[in-house]
Amino acid sequence: DFLPLKCNACEKIFCKDHIRYDDHKCNSAYKKNVQVPVCPLCNAPIPIQKGEIPDIVVGAHMDKDCKYNPSQQKQRIFTNKCLKLGCKRKEMMKVVCEQCGGNFCIKHRHPLDHNCKGSSHPTSKA
């Protein structure tokens, strides 16, 4: 079967086996095969003009315009410190006591575990 397919770059006719740019060594492939390089540090797309070498443009971006901040890479996950006196544990999420409103670790989250003084409601030992 020869189904005529027209190359959208060089506009020559090819069969299904040779329609790809590489298969027929298309001299006009550069017109349609447009790739936008991405900065390896900040993951931003870097626009390039025709005829520019992508490596040089990305390198210039990294030297001048890159918004990469190495301190953001090592963001701390465990930032919620337990307010229980003497406890040094930190949790990923806030564990707030409903009575006093304090932030505690999993071990001290219950009012009896952190000697809660926030509410006058009696707390059961159950």
Side-chain angles (χ1 to χ4, degrees):
D1 287 337
F2 178 77
L3 297 174
L5 299 171
K6 187 187 228 184
C7 175
N8 64 353
C10 66
E11 299 187 3
K12 293 180 182 176
I13 305 294
F14 296 98
C15 66
K16 67 179 177 87
D17 296 331
H18 296 98
I19 190 63
R20 292 183 23 173
Y21 300 140
D22 293 337
D23 293 338
H24 69 269
K25 296 178 180 47
C26 185
N27 293 333
S28 301
Y30 70 92
K31 294 178 187 176
K32 298 293 181 175
N33 193 8
V34 179
Q35 296 178 357
V36 177
V38 176
C39 176
L41 299 177
C42 67
N43 291 324
I46 312 298
I48 60 171
Q49 302 296 323
K50 281 189 178 181
E52 288 184 318
I53 300 170
D55 290 341
I56 294 173
V57 176
V58 171
H61 162 80
M62 290 167 61
D63 291 340
K64 296 178 186 173
D65 303 327
C66 190
K67 304 287 188 243
Y68 173 70
N69 187 353
S71 64
Q72 288 180 343
Q73 292 298 95
K74 293 193 175 188
Q75 291 179 348
R76 294 188 177 174
I77 297 172
F78 298 96
T79 57
N80 299 298
K81 187 177 182 324
C82 180
L83 296 178
K84 168 81 172 159
L85 191 64
C87 183
K88 296 180 180 177
R89 291 193 54 134
K90 296 179 181 178
E91 299 292 336
M92 282 186 354
M93 296 175 19
K94 286 187 177 185
V95 181
V96 180
C97 175
E98 292 179 2
Q99 294 180 7
C100 66
N103 184 46
F104 298 96
C105 67
I106 297 294
K107 184 177 177 182
H108 298 117
R109 71 184 183 272
H110 297 295
L112 289 174
D113 294 332
H114 64 265
N115 300 326
C116 186
K117 296 179 176 87
S119 176
S120 60
H121 300 304
T123 55
S124 69
K125 295 191 178 206

